Amino acid sequence: DAKTTQPTSMDCAEGRAANLPCNHSTISGNEYVYWYRQIHSQGPQYIIHGLKNNETNEMASLIITEDRKSSTLILPHATLRDTAVYYCIVVNNQGGKLIFGQGTELSVKP
Amino acid sequence: NAGVMQNPRHLVRRRGQEARLRCSPMKGHSHVYWYRQLPEEGLKFMVYLQKENIIDESGMPKERFSAEFPKEGPSILRIQQVVRGDSAAYFCASSPTRGKGDEQFFGPGTRLTVL
């Protein structure tokens, strides 16, 4: 599975959009980009995933560049409850284990 | 539809004792994954099981750790002769299948403390 690179930490003002970048330059054609988050020692929570098209659900939007070497997770209106560690993970189409990196620690401030 | 259940939520053991961690996947899910999170560290994959089969145990320590997912009942992660370094949060996740698009649903975790 391809390796991902994320900034260690980010801040965001409450009510503003949070844009979390991820680099996955070695991603291959059959690999998906998944995003999970972990809120203070709770179990990780699935957010969204995509292959090459942009995706949107009730939680977030995922923008994947045309060459698929990077992506951005967008939380459109961040709240204090969105403070968490966000993980970008590349998974092949066979599924299976998730390889978690260090993730991005997002702090949403009032 | 109840989520992934793990019990106990907190477990305290003395060095040398056995720890048994249980995971009941979501209804209809036949794939179970175990992850470990050591204090101040990231989540690490341990083992992936399907009913009655171990599919991938590449993250399991070679000794003292074992996992099963019987035909009936929860998945069990067993740690024999626990040591202080086993103190961690152990998370279980489940998915309905293994294919693309199947996100993993995580339980609340079991916090193991070894005295």
Side-chain angles (χ1 to χ4, degrees):
Chain A
D1 293 329
K3 180 179 171 57
T4 63
T5 304
Q6 299 177 251
T8 303
S9 63
M10 293 181 65
D11 289 341
C12 178
E14 188 178 19
R16 303 298 290 269
N19 297 280
L20 292 87
C22 178
N23 284 319
H24 31 80
S25 58
T26 61
I27 194 170
S28 59
N30 66 346
E31 291 180 319
Y32 287 72
V33 179
Y34 278 73
W35 284 82
Y36 286 79
R37 72 181 182 184
Q38 186 177 27
I39 298 173
H40 187 57
S41 301
Q42 295 179 20
Q45 177 188 24
Y46 165 82
I47 301 173
I48 199 168
H49 76 277
L51 181 62
K52 51 185 177 182
N53 296 324
N54 297 337
E55 302 287 344
T56 295
N57 62 21
E58 64 280 2
M59 288 184 68
S61 295
L62 175 60
I63 308 298
I64 303 175
T65 57
E66 193 169 340
D67 64 7
R68 303 210 320 125
K69 293 185 177 181
S70 66
S71 60
T72 300
L73 177 74
I74 301 172
L75 307 178
H77 304 287
T79 71
L80 299 179
R81 288 193 296 268
D82 292 320
T83 292
V85 179
Y86 287 77
Y87 298 97
C88 168
I89 303 171
V90 171
V91 182
N92 67 40
N93 63 1
Q94 298 302 308
K97 64 187 177 188
L98 298 174
I99 306 298
F100 288 86
Q102 293 304 305
T104 296
E105 187 169 2
L106 175 69
S107 296
V108 181
K109 300 181 184 300
Chain B
N1 188 7
V4 176
M5 310 279 283
Q6 289 188 251
N7 68 80
R9 296 291 303 276
H10 300 273
L11 181 62
V12 179
R13 286 288 178 265
R14 296 190 182 278
R15 282 180 296 171
Q17 291 184 320
E18 179 179 283
R20 285 195 180 200
L21 288 63
R22 294 175 183 76
C23 169
S24 296
M26 289 180 68
K27 186 177 181 180
H29 288 193
S30 60
H31 297 252
V32 165
Y33 311 79
W34 285 93
Y35 297 83
R36 177 167 69 172
Q37 188 166 34
L38 295 167
E40 306 303 323
E41 294 191 18
L43 288 142
K44 303 292 184 188
F45 166 79
M46 298 182 75
V47 63
Y48 162 36
L49 309 102
Q50 202 177 349
K51 284 285 188 180
E52 299 185 277
N53 288 304
I54 296 175
I55 307 300
D56 182 352
E57 55 182 348
S58 58
M60 285 281 269
K62 293 289 186 287
E63 298 176 346
R64 302 187 296 109
F65 285 72
S66 63
E68 63 178 12
F69 187 18
K71 187 176 180 181
E72 301 292 337
S75 174
I76 305 288
L77 179 67
R78 183 182 293 110
I79 311 172
Q80 296 178 302
Q81 299 177 307
V82 296
V83 300
R84 289 221 174 103
D86 297 332
S87 294
Y90 292 83
F91 293 98
C92 164
S94 73
S95 67
T97 66
R98 185 182 176 174
K100 58 183 186 289
D102 285 332
E103 65 266 31
Q104 294 182 19
F105 295 84
F106 283 79
T110 293
R111 270 98 184 141
L112 172 66
T113 301
V114 180
L115 302 177

